[in-house]
Amino acid sequence: MKRRKFIQSSGMIAATAFLASPGYLFAKKKEKLGVALVGLGYYSTDLLAPALQLTKYCELKAIVTGSPEKIPIWQTKYGIEDKNIYNYENMHTIADNDAIDVVYIVLPPALHAKYSIIAANAGKNVWCEKPMEVTSKKCRSIIEACAKNKVKLSIGYRMHHEPNTQLLMQWAKTTPYGKINHIYAEAGYYESRITHWKQIKALGGGAMYDMGVYPLNAIRYTKGMEPIAVSARHQTKRPEIYHEVDEATLFDFKFQDGSTASGKTSFGENINNLKVDCEAGDYYLSPFQSYSGVSGAASDGTELKPFKGNQQAKQMDFDALAIIEDKAVLVPGTEGLKDIAIVEQIYKSARNNGTWIDL
């Protein structure tokens, strides 16, 4: 009896301790996630790093760079500790750093899989900038690595977080102006650099990969339906520069319901428009993918006013909160994969004089 009473008493004490002191048994959820930026080019330097200063759920903790001369500049500006500085050779040791929860891959497209997989194998959540990669096979390798290591994967489609874009996604479902008959989307700018990675095929250069995923993705989310066939062709006014990759690509889609879409991307002109023709009206965004000022209107006078916040901060906060609360991310790897699978067929069609290819 004494032994039974002792066991019962011990069990009650243990249960009381369990209820009173859960902090000893469970790790407290972080209020902010530490982010490591991989690649310190324009997008990281001028947009992501400043945006991280505006976020509520994440903060810049580390950098990965192959340019040692950039390190003191970033440390001075953002107070990054020596222990949180990495290069591409020792990036895998990020696994031992508990201050880092997310690794954001901001490199040329053909390097996304390699470094996303290193990050995933290190047990870190992965944010991969668009385009996801240069082949659907490599996209799948990123998805598989993240699934294997039980980390979240988000693709950097910031437009999916932009309010006017989200409204168009809703309109794809509710069709307030009737059936969508045709969508036209174009995105491009004049690229004056001539020795940049964007002109190098091995690194994932070319207008279609860099800017072309904007109109491609926009057509898909504006229609709310996947295309069933594609025809495409390339153009160039500077063949001495654009001999490895495309300077401009034009593509057309067919949908199951008989509707169509046209897209254009270019490194030779400044274009940034999305137009939607419907049975009972139309609407547009111009610009539709700029870092700010995305705005437009509908034929009935409805105004689509610009979002006044920071797009990148909104995107990263949403993705960080999805990790903290263990919820679904807004743009998973499958979304990036779908675009690249279509891009592969766009290039195939262009190589075959615009032949229609079933998707």
Side-chain angles (χ1 to χ4, degrees), residues 162-171 176-177 221-222 274-276 282-288 292-308:
E162 194 277 324
N164 283 329
T165 303
Q166 292 179 331
L167 179 60
L168 264 59
M169 292 178 180
Q170 185 62 34
W171 284 355
Y177 300 93
Y221 63 62
T222 301
L274 174 64
K275 178 79 161 49
V276 187
D282 58 70
Y283 47 93
Y284 72 91
L285 290 176
S286 182
F288 85 90
S292 62
V294 172
S295 59
S299 54
D300 62 359
T302 300
E303 289 186 63
L304 304 180
K305 297 181 179 180
F307 169 57
K308 294 182 179 180

Side-chain angles (χ1 to χ4, degrees), residues 106-218:
V106 200
L107 295 166
L111 300 176
H112 286 183
K114 178 179 179 179
Y115 292 99
S116 291
I117 291 170
I118 290 174
N121 287 341
K124 306 301 180 181
N125 298 288
V126 178
W127 295 348
C128 179
E129 197 40 55
K130 66 86 199 159
M132 187 175 179
E133 246 291 353
V134 295
T135 68
S136 53
K137 180 180 180 180
K138 292 176 78 173
C139 290
R140 282 190 287 270
S141 72
I142 298 174
I143 294 171
E144 290 165 3
C146 291
K148 176 184 175 183
N149 289 284
K150 296 181 172 60
V151 297
K152 289 191 183 293
L153 168 63
S154 296
I155 309 304
Y157 282 84
R158 60 188 165 79
M159 301 317 303
H160 282 239
H161 300 264
E162 194 277 324
N164 283 329
T165 303
Q166 292 179 331
L167 179 60
L168 264 59
M169 292 178 180
Q170 185 62 34
W171 284 355
K173 299 174 183 177
T174 60
T175 59
Y177 300 93
K179 175 190 170 185
I180 295 173
N181 289 326
H182 184 77
I183 301 169
Y184 181 75
E186 57 180 10
Y189 68 97
Y190 186 83
E191 177 57 79
S192 59
R193 294 169 295 187
I194 61 173
T195 57
H196 193 259
W197 66 260
K198 293 184 181 184
Q199 287 99 31
I200 302 173
K201 185 176 182 179
L203 291 177
M208 191 62 222
Y209 279 116
D210 184 59
M211 295 299 292
V213 291
Y214 284 116
L216 167 53
N217 196 253

Side-chain angles (χ1 to χ4, degrees), residues 52-53 155 174 221 231 300 312 334 340:
L52 279 163
Q53 312 313 304
I155 309 304
T174 60
Y221 63 62
S231 171
D300 62 359
Q312 286 82 4
T334 50
I340 297 308

Side-chain angles (χ1 to χ4, degrees), residues 327-340:
K327 294 182 178 179
V329 301
L330 189 60
V331 190
T334 50
E335 180 70 8
L337 169 60
K338 287 176 182 177
D339 276 349
I340 297 308

